[in-house]
Amino acid sequence: MNDPASKQNPAWAWSDPATVPGMNRRSFLRATVAAASGLAAVAALAPLRELKNFTSVDEFLQKHYTELTPEEMARVLKRIEDEVEKQYGLRPHVRDYKPMNGVEFVYCLNLTRCIGCRKCVHACVAENNQSRSPEIQYIRVLKMPNGTFDVEKAEHNYAPESVPEPGFYYMPVQCHQCKNPPCVKVCPVKATWKDDDGIVVIDYNWCIGCRYCEAACPYWARRFNFTAPSIPKERLNPNMSYLGNRPRQQGVMEKCHFCIQRTRAGRYPACVEVCPAGARKFGNILDPDSEVSHILKDKRVFVLKEEVGTLPRFFYYFEI
Amino acid sequence: MRVLKSNFTFLSRCVRLAFVSDWRYYLWVGALGAVCLLGLNAYAKQFVHGLVVTGMSDQVSWGVYIANFTFLVGVAAAAVMLVIPVYIYKNEELEELVIFGELLAVAAILMCLAFVTVDLGRPDRFWHLMPGIGKFHFPGSMLSWDVIVLNGYLLLNVYICGYMLHSRYRGRHPSKWFYIPFVFIGIVWAVSIHTVTAFLYVGLGGRPFWNSAIVAPRFLASAFTAGPALIILALQVVRRVTSYRSPGEMGLERTATDLGSGRAAGLEDLDTLAVHLPALRNVSKEIRHECLVGARVFEVPPGAVVTREGDTQTNSFFILSGRVLMRRQEGENFRIVRILNAGGLFGEIAALTGAPRAATALTDGPVQLLRLPAESLRRLMRDHKMHSLIKSGMARRVVITDRALLTLRSIVQVSMIINVFLLFNELFKEFYTESLHGASAKYLFFGLHGYHALNPWIWTAITCNLTAMVLLILPVSRSLKFLDIACVLAVVGIWIEKGMGLVIPGFIPTPLGEMVEYTPSLNETLICFGIWAFGLLCYTVLLRVAVPILQGEISQANEPGSGLQDSDVQLRTLVESQSSHKGRVGSADH
Amino acid sequence: MNADTKTAAVLIASAVLFLALAAAFQRDLWGRPAALPAIPLVDPVFTNPAPTRVSAADLKRTGGDMTDFECNTCHELNKPGNLRFDDKGQVVLPKEHGELVMHHGRNDRNNNCFNCHNPLNREELLTKDGHKLRIWESTRLCASCHGPTYRDWELGVHGRMSGYWNRALGPFTRVDCASCHHPHAPIFAPRPPAPGPHPLRPAAVPPARQHASH
């Protein structure tokens, strides 16, 4: 221990680099490495240069839908209209539709009538401003062989010359707006909830994109925006609602909402109106005269995966 | 103010430790840092473009991020596998090692939080999860439970480790009330973090592959296998890097002195020793006779190197008379770590653990030594008082005994057996009735409708697990080499089984029967590696700070500018007197 | 190489590595997301809610060309024609109406023109209990045989409803029988389906599966 430094402070000589010869070079090298790694870290973030329109301060701070006052909601709606106009060149009308009193929606689907033409799929896409690429479609039509409900036997990508094909029936599946929805149960931030008229809605500005709801849904009804959605300007539907068909953002969930912008204004959803075979029925179950009340009363309806206990509002039936 | 300043000194010394070490540390940390940055860059791309850069889809909406998360929650929970033997069963071998498990838990939880964050579609909306300012869906959503238990577990372990290290730094004995209750809470909490994570899957009625009661017990069994297995491997690494390499590399040490043959020791030597070590008087005659087997007494001249740092002999030495200095090489400097007088014991760590000599023992003046072979020392330690005396002396160092590793081995052994048993339960349930609910299991093990991408993975995992189990049952795994192989196999097997073998098949087929497979993309893989590197980096830095504090090298006593205490005065005068000894001890120091 | 040199070497190598990484990150050499496949926009015929065919009632409502339904330009009133039948009992269409396709009922059992048309006035339809209807009032005629279907149709259960489910807020439209079903060949005609879904991960999706034995 002949070095001079350790004479002054023997027991901790090693911890004080400045007093030890050779340590100066080491410190310099360490500092160089630290600087180089800092530079590399900053460079690693270079892709963030391409981040555009990710979120505005207002959107970031926006409260949950159920906590917005009417004035705040009006500001939010205006902000959304501004954003859509900026992106698509068309000013939409975004409304916040509240559920009607004394209304509970039910959907019935006649499997004898469905011919599998998929017009409902595309009418929904057009009405609800879904992304065309990557493609998001809320409705999935399953081509099922006669005699079974086993969805493993379903064909999703059928493309024959004409439908229906003999020996098969067609079963479209979309969000069933369950009375006991597993997706609502699992959402950690309550971004999705069951509204009074039975529709399970999503606040797109609240969703954190964890996709737990997508894993929970027994009907594979929920869709995720893996990237920014792309809607052709000429096909934008400007009649929008906050909880419904306003354009969504990257990283949030979406799903069928029974065309809130139509149904809460008293109209039929787009899929019901476009079906050429009249296989789709929609209405207020609390109204004993609605067609869905008659169906549930008179037809042999059933639901999918009843054993899971979701209590769907979507009833299938066969006739003849 | 003084308290603030001393805490600041403590923290700054810790930070300094993290940046200053030897070349192996720089190499390891540098490599990890580079991988971290690769992951960070990949994540920046994902942040900009969205999760489309991964291999996930609406059909398979969770992938390797959640798979790794699930595995790592298990690793974090397994820290408790060290705590239970120590605090409930009073196992002393593992007592000092609990902190390594808890530090591993901290690193693992940080990795879990990172994996969950990178999986989110909108991580900028993280504040929506905070109770109070966001909308926290507790107690309905199991994910909200998970947020609570994971963060709570992190805070618990950070507190316990921080408190223990801080107390050790201050040279204070930790106060029971500040950590024992938390340790016991930690045991329950550790089980809960993994059960809650299992419930994330179990609670989904629409996914029959997951909706089974056995998922939570399987999680725990596999966690308590993989976690301690990782700890066994980590402890051996710690043992190796905290025992310094042979200083022969530095070319600065003199070779060990040949002590001659000495003479056989007798009972009267033990009586001499008992003058300075009163506890020896109460040792039974039988034990005294036993411990003298192979014992020899040596007269050693001044300046002799009795044991050399890095040597691998396993004798221990009691000092009958005289004084011995223990010193260690640190970087380019030497550090006197202990001064022992008559009655002192050195070399016992090597005797009990087989680790290389942790320090060089130099005689300061003529010394009479009683040398006990390792077996004799162990016999002496059959006396309870001697045992605790010797152990408490050792407690000033990080001692990872082979016995501790073997205790952990029995934990891994039992857990792996249970894990395999539960696997058989699962296989029976999925395949015996041939029901449609077994579709995902069929896909995983045998392929479904022509899709079998996961088959090689799961069969590899099962092979690894079964091989590990057999190795662990056989006595051959008492040897560290086979134990290490078994641990690596167990970790790999369980990583596959819990990750790819649990998360992915739950999505295939989809609830509508569609078959879409999943392959992680390059970006996804880079992010995973980046987070693993980050976790290893955290663990490395935590150990780099913790071990010197535990060993007493960094303590309040040797803060720069602190008042000298008696032993330090001794050291200083000693060193100064040494430097005037040319050609003897002094010249050997270079 | 002693430890000192090793340390220096490792530190220098680390610095170089980090600088190289920084450069590589700046140049963005890997990990760009693959371009999404171009998916053609769907043909507007698949989002068109118009019913399958245009019935006489539709035509009348929209003020279209009704000349096809002015039968009495050729036929005389009160002059029942003679229907000729082939050896299978199926009606043989007169050559003037040869373009008609008759497939009413299973096994074409209801192809007899005068089961629906009034033989004395071709511009009228005649129910079995004697009600005379104009062509564009054909729904009641269909109802006279297809009772349960008509019952369902009246309730809104059969056929397509459009407009307002909430009758208080606006009008609704119930599509007439003939707007979907051609009265002479009422069975709902097969048609080409709209394109199927385009998956996000095409490589992970199988080619069309075969319905082998399950």
Side-chain angles (χ1 to χ4, degrees):
Chain A
M1 293 234 192
N2 273 345
D3 55 81
S6 59
K7 278 210 170 77
Q8 293 152 23
N9 40 2
W12 52 86
W14 65 278
S15 69
D16 192 0
T19 56
V20 182
M23 283 302 237
N24 273 335
R25 179 184 64 185
R26 188 76 51 75
S27 304
F28 171 72
L29 283 176
R30 276 200 298 265
T32 311
V33 172
S37 62
L39 189 69
V42 169
L45 297 175
L48 293 179
R49 286 184 297 219
E50 295 175 34
L51 202 58
K52 291 188 268 287
N53 299 328
F54 189 63
T55 180
S56 60
V57 174
D58 284 332
E59 191 191 330
F60 178 71
L61 294 175
Q62 186 183 320
K63 295 200 287 233
H64 189 266
Y65 174 85
T66 51
E67 290 172 5
L68 292 171
T69 65
E71 298 79 37
E72 284 169 336
M73 176 50 94
R75 268 203 299 278
V76 165
L77 294 177
K78 181 172 178 311
R79 186 193 80 224
I80 294 171
E81 287 175 357
D82 291 338
E83 283 167 4
V84 173
E85 186 176 23
K86 191 155 154 243
Q87 189 171 2
Y88 295 96
L90 173 65
R91 188 159 187 93
H93 195 153
V94 185
R95 287 190 197 80
D96 175 32
Y97 289 99
K98 298 290 187 204
M100 290 186 202
N101 282 332
V103 169
E104 263 191 52
F105 293 123
V106 154
Y107 208 112
C108 296
L109 206 144
N110 189 338
L111 289 175
T112 309
R113 304 286 167 227
C114 177
I115 56 169
C117 66
R118 294 198 184 109
K119 279 178 86 164
C120 51
V121 175
H122 293 281
C124 168
V125 168
E127 169 70 26
N128 291 305
N129 293 319
Q130 289 160 41
S131 173
R132 304 308 198 267
S133 180
E135 188 181 79
I136 293 187
Q137 292 173 342
Y138 295 159
I139 304 175
R140 178 60 70 97
V141 184
L142 305 180
K143 173 179 149 184
M144 306 283 293
N146 280 346
T148 176
F149 275 122
D150 178 13
V151 290
E152 260 184 76
K153 300 194 169 69
E155 173 80 48
H156 294 240
N157 294 74
Y158 60 92
E161 293 274 320
S162 64
V163 286
E165 295 167 279
F168 296 94
Y169 68 96
Y170 297 86
M171 186 160 70
V173 181
Q174 66 213 62
C175 173
H176 288 1
Q177 321 290 349
C178 307
K179 282 204 272 284
N180 181 20
C183 57
V184 167
K185 201 183 286 193
V186 300
C187 178
V189 290
K190 292 193 187 157
T192 186
W193 65 93
K194 197 174 54 164
D195 239 346
D196 290 335
D197 58 359
I199 303 183
V200 176
V201 295
I202 303 176
D203 181 353
Y204 307 119
N205 287 112
W206 195 256
C207 174
I208 58 172
C210 70
R211 305 186 304 293
Y212 197 10
C213 58
E214 194 168 18
C217 178
Y219 307 106
W220 192 65
R222 300 186 71 117
R223 304 286 182 268
F224 180 68
N225 281 289
F226 283 91
T227 188
S230 74
I231 310 169
K233 291 188 172 61
E234 64 273 16
R235 302 224 172 164
L236 190 74
N237 174 8
N239 175 26
M240 299 178 182
S241 67
Y242 179 80
L243 291 173
N245 66 338
R246 63 177 167 113
R248 278 69 67 188
Q249 315 102 13
Q250 174 175 303
V252 302
M253 299 296 302
E254 56 181 276
K255 67 173 185 66
C256 164
H257 43 76
F258 278 179
C259 286
I260 275 187
Q261 67 280 358
R262 287 172 156 244
T263 53
R264 285 188 181 173
R267 297 169 58 202
Y268 284 107
C271 47
V272 172
E273 288 210 346
V274 83
C275 176
R280 290 170 166 271
K281 298 290 160 206
F282 178 87
N284 175 13
I285 195 65
L286 298 180
D287 171 9
D289 268 330
S290 65
E291 52 261 41
V292 291
S293 296
H294 287 295
I295 292 172
L296 290 196
K297 199 157 40 86
D298 298 329
K299 303 292 181 190
R300 302 292 169 258
V301 297
F302 64 92
V303 296
L304 291 184
K305 307 202 194 213
E306 191 167 1
E307 71 280 4
V308 182
T310 50
L311 303 176
R313 292 180 177 279
F314 207 99
F315 296 87
Y316 295 91
Y317 61 105
F318 286 99
E319 276 181 322
I320 319 171
Chain B
M1 197 56 213
R2 199 122 167 272
V3 169
L4 218 63
K5 184 170 182 291
S6 75
N7 283 330
F8 180 74
T9 314
F10 168 53
L11 284 172
S12 65
R13 291 178 86 189
C14 290
V15 169
R16 210 181 165 283
L17 272 175
F19 283 94
V20 177
S21 184
D22 68 348
W23 66 270
R24 293 170 301 162
Y25 179 81
Y26 293 136
L27 188 63
W28 174 242
V29 167
L32 288 178
V35 177
C36 273
L37 289 180
L38 281 169
L40 182 66
N41 177 252
Y43 183 64
K45 293 186 178 118
Q46 183 184 289
F47 193 79
V48 170
H49 298 288
L51 285 156
V52 72
V53 304
T54 68
M56 295 186 271
S57 55
D58 278 317
Q59 288 86 353
V60 184
S61 50
W62 278 342
V64 280
Y65 296 152
I66 301 298
N68 275 305
F69 162 79
T70 310
F71 175 74
L72 287 166
V73 174
V75 168
V80 83
M81 283 285 102
L82 286 181
V83 171
I84 289 180
V86 169
Y87 288 93
I88 297 187
Y89 295 104
K90 307 284 180 213
N91 178 311
E92 287 175 9
E93 297 279 355
L94 296 174
E95 193 166 354
E96 281 291 307
L97 307 181
V98 171
I99 197 165
F100 291 112
E102 286 163 346
L103 291 173
L104 180 65
V106 169
I109 294 281
L110 288 173
M111 279 198 268
C112 289
L113 295 175
F115 271 117
V116 166
T117 307
V118 300
D119 188 64
L120 288 180
R122 295 298 300 235
D124 55 307
R125 296 182 183 171
F126 68 93
W127 68 270
H128 293 181
L129 269 171
M130 294 185 192
I133 59 174
K135 234 186 188 348
F136 196 55
H137 189 185
F138 181 84
S141 164
M142 293 315 297
L143 207 50
S144 67
W145 282 77
D146 222 14
V147 167
I148 294 177
V149 295
L150 286 180
N151 286 298
Y153 192 66
L154 178 65
L155 289 173
L156 200 60
N157 279 300
V158 165
Y159 167 73
I160 293 175
C161 296
Y163 179 71
M164 298 297 260
L165 289 174
H166 188 83
S167 307
R168 186 62 67 86
Y169 179 81
R170 296 252 175 266
R172 287 200 287 257
H173 210 67
S175 152
K176 268 188 144 64
W177 288 111
F178 278 111
Y179 77 96
I180 295 272
F182 295 98
V183 165
F184 279 93
I185 292 174
I187 294 176
V188 175
W189 207 282
V191 172
S192 84
I193 64 170
H194 218 21
T195 310
V196 167
T197 305
F199 283 176
L200 284 180
Y201 298 101
V202 176
L204 302 183
R207 306 252 177 205
F209 185 65
W210 293 337
N211 184 222
S212 162
I214 210 173
V215 172
R218 279 191 81 195
F219 266 37
L220 287 166
S222 56
F224 294 155
T225 311
L230 270 175
I231 292 176
I232 287 176
L233 296 169
L235 287 178
Q236 286 174 70
V237 172
V238 171
R239 187 159 77 170
R240 184 173 286 270
V241 299
T242 53
S243 305
Y244 289 93
R245 293 240 167 270
S246 162
E249 284 175 347
M250 307 278 282
L252 295 169
E253 268 297 281
R254 214 166 62 164
T255 51
T257 310
D258 179 17
L259 298 175
S261 53
R263 60 162 173 82
L267 283 169
E268 65 282 4
D269 297 302
L270 287 177
D271 290 331
T272 315
L273 186 59
V275 169
H276 304 284
L277 196 62
L280 205 51
R281 287 203 193 101
N282 299 322
V283 173
S284 71
K285 251 195 150 164
E286 193 195 339
I287 293 182
R288 286 187 193 217
H289 275 289
E290 281 179 9
C291 79
L292 282 174
V293 172
R296 300 190 77 78
V297 174
F298 297 89
E299 309 289 337
V300 187
V305 173
V306 181
T307 64
R308 198 184 61 161
E309 197 181 338
D311 275 353
T312 50
Q313 302 133 348
T314 54
N315 302 312
S316 58
F317 297 86
F318 277 104
I319 301 174
L320 296 175
S321 71
R323 194 156 68 174
V324 170
L325 306 175
M326 307 296 297
R327 74 167 187 213
R328 263 224 279 251
Q329 184 121 21
E330 307 240 358
E332 291 131 1
N333 302 313
F334 291 96
R335 180 175 168 68
I336 294 184
V337 290
R338 272 208 307 185
I339 300 176
L340 293 164
N341 295 302
L345 169 67
F346 63 94
E348 77 281 17
I349 296 181
L352 293 173
T353 71
R357 297 288 190 198
T360 299
L362 283 170
T363 53
D364 179 44
V367 168
Q368 194 185 42
L369 291 174
L370 169 66
R371 187 182 76 181
L372 290 181
E375 194 45 49
S376 301
L377 184 68
R378 282 199 202 100
R379 286 193 200 108
L380 182 61
M381 286 172 75
R382 285 203 201 118
D383 176 81
H384 184 77
K385 203 77 205 303
M386 288 308 297
H387 181 98
S388 51
L389 202 69
I390 291 171
K391 281 303 294 256
S392 65
M394 282 163 68
R396 293 301 293 177
R397 290 146 214 203
V398 173
V399 178
I400 301 171
T401 59
D402 279 2
R403 285 247 318 261
L405 295 177
L406 290 178
T407 309
L408 289 172
R409 167 185 173 270
S410 25
I411 295 173
V412 179
Q413 182 188 64
V414 171
S415 300
M416 181 55 107
I417 292 171
I418 296 176
N419 191 34
V420 170
F421 172 67
L422 293 178
L423 169 69
F424 285 134
N425 285 352
E426 171 83 6
L427 289 174
F428 178 80
K429 177 252 184 185
E430 295 284 9
F431 293 112
Y432 180 74
T433 60
E434 298 170 88
S435 87
L436 292 181
H437 282 187
S440 291
K442 196 137 170 279
Y443 167 72
L444 174 64
F445 288 97
F446 304 110
L448 188 63
H449 303 309
Y451 291 87
H452 43 71
L454 281 181
N455 295 164
W457 288 89
I458 193 63
W459 288 111
T460 309
I462 291 185
T463 311
C464 287
N465 283 346
L466 287 175
T467 313
M469 183 183 78
V470 166
L471 280 177
L472 286 166
I473 291 176
L474 294 177
V476 71
S477 57
R478 292 183 148 266
S479 116
L480 284 180
K481 186 172 82 177
F482 284 98
L483 180 60
D484 288 345
I485 293 174
C487 286
V488 169
L489 286 174
V491 169
V492 167
I494 287 170
W495 184 87
I496 296 175
E497 187 185 49
K498 225 166 170 175
M500 306 291 274
L502 171 91
V503 176
I504 314 301
F507 292 104
I508 304 171
T510 69
L512 294 186
E514 200 179 359
M515 299 288 298
V516 175
E517 290 190 302
Y518 163 78
T519 313
S521 66
L522 171 67
N523 253 10
E524 224 172 339
T525 315
L526 284 176
I527 293 177
C528 288
F529 279 132
I531 296 178
W532 271 95
F534 168 70
L536 285 170
L537 194 58
C538 284
Y539 195 46
T540 306
V541 169
L542 286 170
L543 289 178
R544 174 77 187 103
V545 170
V547 168
I549 295 178
L550 292 172
Q551 287 176 321
E553 287 173 37
I554 302 278
S555 72
Q556 187 164 39
N558 57 16
E559 271 177 8
S562 68
L564 294 176
Q565 293 170 355
D566 286 350
S567 60
D568 288 344
V569 175
Q570 265 186 335
L571 283 172
R572 206 160 71 143
T573 19
L574 199 67
V575 164
E576 279 169 355
S577 67
Q578 270 182 359
S579 58
S580 64
H581 275 142
K582 300 186 179 77
R584 304 193 80 191
V585 172
S587 62
D589 296 349
H590 300 285
Chain C
M1 205 195 213
N2 67 0
D4 193 18
T5 323
K6 264 190 206 155
T7 313
V10 166
L11 286 173
I12 292 172
S14 303
V16 169
L17 175 66
F18 284 124
L19 289 172
L21 271 180
F25 292 150
Q26 273 291 105
R27 311 258 337 255
D28 199 19
L29 296 171
W30 63 80
R32 290 205 72 82
L36 291 166
I39 299 174
L41 293 181
V42 75
D43 190 326
V45 72
F46 292 118
T47 52
N48 184 352
T52 307
R53 61 187 298 271
V54 179
S55 65
D58 295 328
L59 216 50
K60 187 159 169 51
R61 207 173 15 246
T62 56
D65 179 12
M66 298 291 289
T67 47
D68 269 348
F69 300 102
E70 289 160 2
C71 312
N72 291 339
T73 36
C74 295
H75 290 273
E76 279 177 46
L77 286 175
N78 298 319
K79 198 162 171 229
N82 280 331
L83 283 180
R84 281 199 298 279
F85 296 87
D86 65 12
D87 46 9
K88 288 201 205 66
Q90 291 290 326
V91 75
V92 175
L93 290 168
K95 62 178 184 310
E96 291 87 350
H97 287 300
E99 78 284 2
L100 292 179
V101 176
M102 294 299 300
H103 279 307
H104 198 130
R106 192 182 288 274
N107 300 321
D108 296 341
R109 59 175 176 246
N110 193 23
N111 281 355
N112 188 321
C113 315
F114 296 132
N115 283 350
C116 292
H117 290 280
N118 185 353
L120 301 178
N121 181 351
R122 303 288 193 280
E123 281 182 7
E124 279 177 358
L125 302 168
L126 192 63
T127 67
K128 283 292 183 243
D129 53 350
H131 277 106
K132 295 200 177 76
L133 304 162
R134 300 307 303 272
I135 302 279
W136 48 87
E137 295 165 343
S138 56
T139 299
R140 248 188 96 189
L141 173 64
C142 307
S144 67
C145 284
H146 297 283
T149 307
Y150 181 70
R151 173 204 66 199
D152 282 348
W153 179 85
E154 281 218 299
L155 294 173
V157 173
H158 183 101
R160 192 185 64 203
M161 301 286 269
S162 47
Y164 283 77
W165 62 264
N166 188 332
R167 313 285 191 242
L169 290 180
F172 68 97
T173 316
R174 196 182 285 128
V175 184
D176 289 319
C177 312
S179 300
C180 290
H181 301 280
H182 194 301
H184 297 154
I187 206 161
F188 206 72
R191 66 210 56 209
H198 295 90
L200 185 61
R201 312 275 168 218
V205 172
R209 288 192 309 153
Q210 323 209 338
H211 290 275
S213 56
H214 279 293

